[in-house]
């Protein structure tokens, strides 16, 4: 292992952008954060204080940052709407890319029907490392579960249940957010869908999706074709079943849990959520506090992600997850969202083509 | 409270029949088991040893037992296929009835389209107590959860997740059993459906059902239109959602758990299953054992059921659950089973009538 | 198994007396509660309503009850101070005896130095079943732990930690109660001491005891040489160690837990206390409620105790626990109490004789 | 916050030394590891590969390292026997010091009776930051518990139970190790003692200690006056009680847990130990794996320790724990060890002086 370090720039300095920037600055020994960009002046003010003193150059314009000499990689942590565009530009500029999920809210952007297909572009530049940041793939508990499944501890995996449930944000922020997020299945369940593709295998072929949702706390979500509670059912051509629950109204905190159910056992990840190892005994009973946000829950997964992406670039080793899975996840998420809104079950053939007529 | 005791007979002495008979004999102080019937000679042999010494009269013929003088009530614990018929005969003979679930595997038997409608019959004899034995309604944990919901601790209930998962029986018994059970949704999920009707309110109107299933361990189940893993999604006209998982392949034991999700909190029942309060620390980690069967889990609920049914009869007080909910549960279970087999989503209007054409 | 039933009388109808009376009346099929006595008129009023209608004869005078024809057994559930006296009278009247713990608060009453030695008396009447009711011996979880230890799952047991911790009773009742209870080690820890003797073996020989205590909530306990928190350390001649914690100031509920630590594993009983299988998720986190009293926790153990005592009498089979262990438990409890008050460590030789001088 | 970095050297490159070196190299952004020393050639080989490429200078001689220009601080992570000596030399050379626990196995070295008193030395150089590394003080769960106690959530803390229990090392390594470790109370329970001083307050005055131990798996420990299981009881002059369990024979893994018991509640830290958030359901039940070593459990606490020590040095802010507590902890640990070996209870007056005669 050489002492050489990967020079990376961070696109976007919002909530997640700040975290990625600091992780690459302070917690990724083999990386060197050399640049950061944001169109937002307040975010740049923050960066002047927290990044610039360590030699990070700041840009208001993403395209200018891409020109910085010596820059080798970009972490795309901007608004979801520009993920795909910025990732494509970075690839065209011959940079390695770590892109926040989802790649896009629109499958078309990602596939051959698009003029700038992000999927085919990486194929033309196989020397580049391009990864979508599904943080759970880097979480120690999910990895332990995956390794246990791989060694056969639970037999053949047949059913997966997974949920991404956010604590209620009473500010109503998520109504405005829904306009651009792609909807609850693309924004939240995308993680659970990715887990299904990981545990079932990336070659799993979707057969049908159906979904329902309601607006228990925020009826205005319907304006953007969204819901605050949603349950989706996905069937694969080999018979495996995945089912998902997403919610934006949890009272206690972030509750992201998964069960992987096999013919010889079950692996449960975080079905007993907890902030830490403290239990409080008081007049109300025995109590554990919960993580309040997904970053509370997955902070170290993001650090691992930064370090492993860096290692893959420097050592030219395979990335821990393939881009095709990220595209497939967006496709499934968008189909679930459509099924929830239309009420119709959606079918696919074994080649992944959507069947236009309902199968009876 | 008088010292008078209710005289009851037990129809059926199979696995559950024996338990009901002994519960009424030994653990129901206000009841007196005076009769028991079974067409099976081996079962009658058992009864000669365990029931007859305490004054219980035995019958091979159910109809004869119904004639026994002084008999006031019948617990129907025979094969599922004869539940409805025996219950109807008992009502006709003017006996109170506690009937094991499901009332029937066939909705028609239970409704006005049938020549001997079990539903209308009780309405003609309002002095009789007729109850379907959904054991979870009598379980201390479910009751505590219900009471907490009623006092508003979790706000408005919007989503219910529930599962009934049996330990794998490697003898393959359940393949033969599937022929008569009505299928996994009618046999297993019926409990979860009943919970949804309980927690959402008996007047909840079903809007749509969709379901998928697979045969992960026993492909022969397909011969009887059944599956060993099934996930069902039920939407109600008021927007509430219930989703169910049933399985016959659990490795660790019986795993019946439920989450009731409201706008201000969540109640989880048995999402950390355990046989008792022992934990074993050894080289494999820290471990709790699980109940192996539903009776391990619900033994005391059955005792409570026997005692409360007896009290309702003796004191002429309302039964803890209404017969209409039991009929509605069979209807939903049968629709889920059909949806799983056909692949089609099934819709209902607000009057409970099935919509013949898929709604788009 | 014959249908014959054991005729039993209940001495004392206070809090525990009522429970024992009802358990023998309603939940012990092979027993028949035929008599009950209490010097307290309010308690007798209660009995007129709840026991008399079922044929139970009531007495204000214990001695008179002993004369009732056909009476075969007595459950002594009166005030601790008269436990020994009433048990001895019952034995003299040739009755089987189930006596609430502790046998006595005074070791002398129980041993050969006493004029009416309860210990030697039973030895003269070996046809009688005389048992001290240590409820934990009948609890399903403790039995499971014991059976696992017996089958070698944790190797050689070397250390036992156990605690009996009551919820704070803010009425200050326990200050008055301390006057007669024998102190926190005799009243509370007696259960834990009995567990040590059970899991280590009844022949375990005590080597030393030392204890400390404090009065965190109720300084007045010092008037009666008692404390509200106490920790005791017991060493046996074979090197095994038991240590105990007792408290009367728990905020959340009754917390009686035990760890049995062996060379190949550990068994933990109730180190995650819970009232039932419900978890509440709300703004405060994830919460289980706790049993509020020891009867909440051990209700079914008392029912099992009644049934097993009855079976031992009717079938003339060995009792599940020996009287000598109960006497030994009182001896250890009294020594711990003395050590806590004096501050001195107390030593015993291998014959159980106390060493008068501190060993150096 | 300036971008300036603290230059630190690491003394010792054994198991813990390697971890401290890597933590300061890679996970402490404001520190720069510039030197490392070890008398062991194998350890230096490791350092040539893992530290030297990043500019770390290596030394076989500790004293030479102390001369390196620009060196500002030392982390002492060598063998316990030289902790005190190396710490004192560093202080004399005007370096800030982070010293692994225990400061010493011998109280004399640390106090005024010693020719080179480590305690008085720092007092003469108040500009230096000298800290003993009690890792639990930096653990997120312990800190959360402490903060909850501080805000009054559990009333007045009266009793503390804490244990440090290592997984059995079947190599017998710990027999040889016992010769130099100071014994199980100084080596293991020192952490629990430090917790008692933290939660009870550093000014808590010890009143008495008593302890017992056994050798359940390794009788040879007695040669070095040590045991493999030990229970200690500590009483403070204000009435508070702390009791400790230490063991070297756990089957399942590292089990370090603590309960802080107050008049209005209890805080439990790690009484449900777990390696991560995965549960395995299989034929043996439901299982969590456990951390195998204390580093598995406390890895992130060590990283926090390195970062906070660095911040205190650079920003001249108070250290999170005072050196006097570390000395007091060694004193209590040594007294417990002596009490365990001699069998005698040991008393102290309010000034911390040992009472030579047993108090009666």
């Amino acid at each position: 292992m050489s002492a050489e370090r990967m020079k990376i720039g961070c696109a976007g300095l919002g909530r997640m952008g700040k975290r990625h920037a600091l992780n690459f600055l302070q917690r990724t020994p083999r990386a060197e954060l050399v640049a950061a960009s944001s169109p937002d002046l307040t975010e740049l003010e923050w960066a002047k204080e927290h990044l610039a003193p360590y030699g990070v150059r700041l840009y208001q314009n993403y395209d200018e940052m891409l020109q910085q000499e010596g820059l080798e990689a970009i972490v795309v942590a901007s608004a979801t709407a520009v993920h795909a565009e910025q990732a494509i530009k970075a690839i065209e500029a011959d940079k390695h890319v770590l892109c926040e999920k989802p790649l896009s809210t629109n499958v078309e952007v990602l596939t051959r029907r698009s003029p700038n297909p992000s999927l085919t572009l990486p194929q033309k530049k196989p020397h580049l490392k391009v990864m979508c940041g599904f943080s759970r793939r880097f979480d120690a508990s999910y990895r332990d579960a995956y390794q246990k499944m791989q060694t056969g501890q639970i037999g053949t995996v047949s059913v997966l249940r997974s949920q991404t449930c956010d604590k209620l944000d009473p500010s109503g922020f998520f109504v405005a957010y829904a306009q651009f997020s792609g909807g609850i299945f693309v924004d939240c369940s995308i993680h659970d869908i990715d887990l299904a593709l990981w545990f079932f295998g990336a070659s799993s072929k979707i057969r049908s999706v159906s979904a329902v949702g309601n607006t228990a706390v925020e009826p205005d979500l319907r304006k953007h074709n969204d819901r605050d509670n949603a349950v989706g059912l996905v069937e694969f051509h080999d018979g495996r079943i995945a089912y998902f629950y997403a919610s934006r109204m949890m009272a206690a905190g972030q509750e992201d849990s998964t069960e992987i159910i096999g013919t010889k056992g079950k692996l449960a990840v975080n079905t007993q959520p907890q902030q830490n190892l403290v239990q409080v005994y008081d007049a109300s009973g025995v109590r554990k506090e919960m993580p309040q946000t997904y970053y509370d829950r997955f902070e170290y997964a993001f650090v691992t992600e930064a370090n492993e992406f860096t290692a893959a670039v420097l050592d030219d080793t395979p990335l821990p997850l393939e881009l095709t899975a990220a595209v497939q996840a967006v496709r499934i998420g968008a189909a679930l969202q459509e099924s929830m809104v239309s009420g119709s079950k959606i079918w696919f053939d074994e080649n992944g083509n959507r069947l236009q007529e309902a199968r009876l």
Side-chain angles (χ1 to χ4, degrees), chain A:
Chain A
M1 189 172 105
S2 80
E4 172 196 17
R5 297 206 288 165
M6 176 190 79
K7 291 183 169 54
I8 191 166
C10 180
L13 291 166
R15 201 174 50 164
M16 274 317 296
K18 288 185 179 75
R19 288 165 178 163
H20 279 292
L22 291 174
N23 282 345
F24 276 105
L25 181 67
Q26 297 174 346
R27 304 162 99 180
T28 313
R30 300 182 71 196
E32 192 182 349
L33 184 75
V34 297
S37 77
S38 169
D40 182 295
L41 291 180
T42 314
E43 289 176 14
L44 286 174
E45 273 312 303
W46 175 90
K48 269 179 209 161
E49 187 182 352
H50 293 91
L51 306 181
Y54 302 94
V56 180
R57 287 181 60 184
L58 306 180
Y59 300 86
Q60 197 169 353
N61 184 299
Y62 174 71
D63 295 339
E64 279 178 33
M65 178 171 75
L66 280 183
Q67 314 297 324
Q68 182 171 322
E69 204 182 311
L71 191 69
E72 298 167 84
I74 294 289
V75 51
V76 177
S78 44
T80 296
V82 296
H83 280 181
E85 178 198 333
Q86 293 191 337
I88 290 165
K89 280 183 178 176
I91 294 166
E92 287 170 342
D94 231 38
K95 311 298 176 199
H96 306 283
V97 175
L98 169 58
C99 182
E100 255 300 317
K101 70 89 212 170
L103 273 187
S104 166
T105 58
N106 184 338
V107 185
E108 301 309 298
V109 176
L110 305 170
T111 58
R112 63 186 177 287
R113 294 166 210 164
S114 155
N116 274 325
S118 68
L119 242 197
T120 53
L121 196 55
Q123 286 161 3
K124 290 185 197 156
K125 302 202 170 189
H127 61 290
L128 293 184
K129 304 291 175 188
V130 181
M131 180 168 91
C132 182
F134 282 116
S135 46
R136 292 182 206 181
R137 297 253 193 168
F138 301 90
D139 175 65
S141 295
Y142 278 107
R143 287 185 162 191
D144 183 34
Y146 187 79
Q147 191 265 342
K148 285 183 161 62
M149 179 195 71
Q150 289 287 81
T151 58
Q153 290 192 32
I154 57 166
T156 304
V157 173
S158 307
V159 177
L160 182 140
R161 176 176 83 80
S162 195
Q163 68 176 44
T164 297
C165 294
D166 294 352
K167 190 172 181 186
L168 177 67
D169 174 354
S171 75
F173 161 76
F174 63 90
V175 177
Y177 179 68
Q179 204 168 350
F180 306 103
S181 74
I184 195 165
F185 280 115
V186 173
D187 187 43
C188 296
S189 303
I190 197 84
H191 288 291
D192 307 294
I193 297 166
D194 178 60
L195 289 173
L197 295 172
W198 187 26
F199 280 87
F200 287 176
S203 62
S204 296
K205 288 177 182 135
I206 187 174
R207 183 168 181 253
S208 75
V209 307
S210 49
V212 299
N214 65 26
T215 48
V217 291
E218 198 42 88
D220 285 352
L221 283 167
R222 291 183 180 264
K223 284 194 260 177
H224 306 304
N225 274 334
D226 211 359
R227 306 289 186 270
D228 47 26
N229 286 277
V231 180
L233 202 43
V234 177
E235 192 187 11
F236 291 86
H237 274 285
D238 61 5
R240 299 187 196 217
I241 296 167
Y243 65 112
F244 308 122
Y245 173 45
S247 177
R248 300 193 190 278
M249 69 170 205
M250 293 293 106
Q254 185 76 20
E255 194 182 340
D256 298 346
S257 55
T258 303
E259 293 183 303
I260 304 111
I261 303 158
T263 52
K264 293 189 177 159
K266 183 175 94 170
L267 298 163
V269 180
N270 197 36
T271 53
Q272 299 178 26
Q274 59 186 35
Q275 169 64 14
N276 55 32
L277 298 168
V278 175
Q279 288 182 94
V280 182
Y281 289 59
D282 62 20
S284 71
V286 186
R287 172 163 56 91
K288 287 195 173 185
E289 292 177 354
M290 278 182 61
Q292 297 300 293
T293 67
Y294 75 99
Y295 201 71
D296 283 355
R297 166 68 182 86
F298 291 109
E299 177 180 350
Y300 290 109
F302 283 98
V303 174
T304 302
E305 179 185 278
N307 280 277
E308 296 198 358
F309 172 72
T310 302
V313 168
L314 290 176
D315 305 335
D316 194 15
T317 50
L319 288 164
L321 68 142
E322 309 226 343
L323 202 58
T324 48
V327 176
Q328 177 74 338
V330 172
R331 176 194 296 274
I332 296 175
L336 282 164
Q337 189 77 12
E338 179 187 331
S339 173
M340 178 179 73
V341 173
S342 73
S344 297
K345 190 167 178 175
I346 300 173
W347 297 85
F348 298 84
D349 69 16
E350 298 222 10
N351 299 317
N353 297 314
R354 187 162 166 174
L355 296 175
Q356 290 308 316
E357 315 223 352
R359 167 190 161 287
L360 294 183

